[in-house]
Amino acid sequence: MAAAPALASHPDSEALTCADRSVSATAVRTTQDVQAFVQCAREFLEEVGEDKAYDAFHNDTRWKSGPIYIFITELIPDGTQARSLVHAGRPERETTDPAMLGDRIDTFGTDIIAEGVRIIRTNGGGFSYYGFENYETGLVSPKVSYILPVSWRGIPAMLGAGIYLRDLPGTCRSEEVNAMELEADPSDERLQEFVRCAAMELESKGYFATIT
């Protein structure tokens, strides 16, 4: 059997493939991680089929951890008619009723479904930026998701996952980015997030801050 292809988006792509379980929801921190995660989720779906993938996407911590989860949405031009086929973050959104996707227009006026269709049709997949509720905090926050086309039970669809960006101007909420959170998760990404938010806080008070 041929070896699984390396993940070009990952900095350690020469050694890492989807067979390596380090590609998991618990390890997703950056946009590169999200891209690798979604690539592996699609490969997993193609390997095991819809039934096993559905169960794993909802119950296996490799595919679901806190705000990191898999979603699969029907891929049709009219976003008002698109159905949520898989939504591991909120399974109650999975329905044959398109009305359940009532939050497809985000706070910035972006039609999330239509934008996803455009990205799939234009580039065959890619990153989508929008505002969406973080189910862990209950707050609407900027989110970047990576999406790829799939077939789900014969239905053209887009599979994706995303991370919430907490260190943009106007989004550095103290309840999300603070010293206690950094102590609990002292990763490079969380440290950079903390420093960027601290710099923006200083600048908002009229001071000049640089990040080196």
Side-chain angles (χ1 to χ4, degrees):
M1 180 180 294
L7 297 170
S9 66
H10 198 282
D12 298 323
S13 59
E14 290 185 0
L16 186 62
T17 70
C18 292
D20 188 325
R21 289 185 64 88
S22 65
V23 180
S24 68
T26 56
V28 171
R29 295 286 187 277
T30 68
T31 53
Q32 286 186 326
D33 294 337
V34 170
Q35 183 174 356
F37 180 66
V38 171
Q39 289 172 339
C40 289
R42 182 169 72 168
E43 182 177 306
F44 178 75
L45 168 61
E46 293 171 347
E47 178 184 345
V48 305
E50 287 91 343
D51 290 339
K52 290 184 178 179
Y54 182 88
D55 181 67
F57 289 159
H58 286 77
N59 300 305
D60 188 339
T61 55
R62 182 185 181 190
W63 303 112
K64 180 182 178 182
S65 178
I68 309 299
Y69 55 83
I70 296 295
F71 60 83
I72 301 177
T73 305
E74 190 173 14
L75 186 63
I76 57 176
D78 184 359
T80 63
Q81 297 301 311
R83 293 170 292 173
S84 179
L85 305 173
V86 174
H87 199 292
R90 284 284 175 88
E92 63 269 23
R93 291 173 61 91
E94 300 168 5
T95 176
T96 57
D97 181 5
M100 284 293 287
L101 287 176
D103 56 359
R104 65 186 181 86
I105 306 297
D106 74 358
T107 53
F108 305 106
T110 301
D111 187 323
I112 300 172
I113 306 301
E115 178 64 5
V117 171
R118 184 193 68 79
I119 291 169
I120 295 293
R121 290 190 167 182
T122 303
N123 303 312
F127 289 102
S128 179
Y129 299 82
Y130 52 93
F132 200 77
E133 181 184 357
N134 183 334
Y135 299 137
E136 293 290 291
T137 65
L139 301 172
V140 175
S141 301
K143 185 174 186 177
V144 54
S145 293
Y146 190 78
I147 55 175
L148 289 173
V150 297
S151 175
W152 182 263
R153 305 191 191 284
I155 300 171
M158 50 185 166
L159 178 153
I163 57 173
Y164 292 91
L165 305 176
R166 309 190 304 178
D167 56 348
L168 299 176
T171 67
C172 287
R173 300 185 176 100
S174 59
E175 63 268 31
E176 294 183 318
V177 182
N178 54 61
M180 291 182 63
E181 289 289 332
L182 178 60
E183 184 177 1
D185 180 12
S187 63
D188 289 344
E189 292 77 22
R190 289 290 175 260
L191 176 59
Q192 292 170 11
E193 180 182 78
F194 180 79
V195 171
R196 283 193 292 264
C197 283
M200 283 186 279
E201 176 68 15
L202 286 172
E203 290 173 358
S204 72
K205 298 182 182 301
Y207 298 98
F208 180 73
T210 60
I211 302 174
T212 59

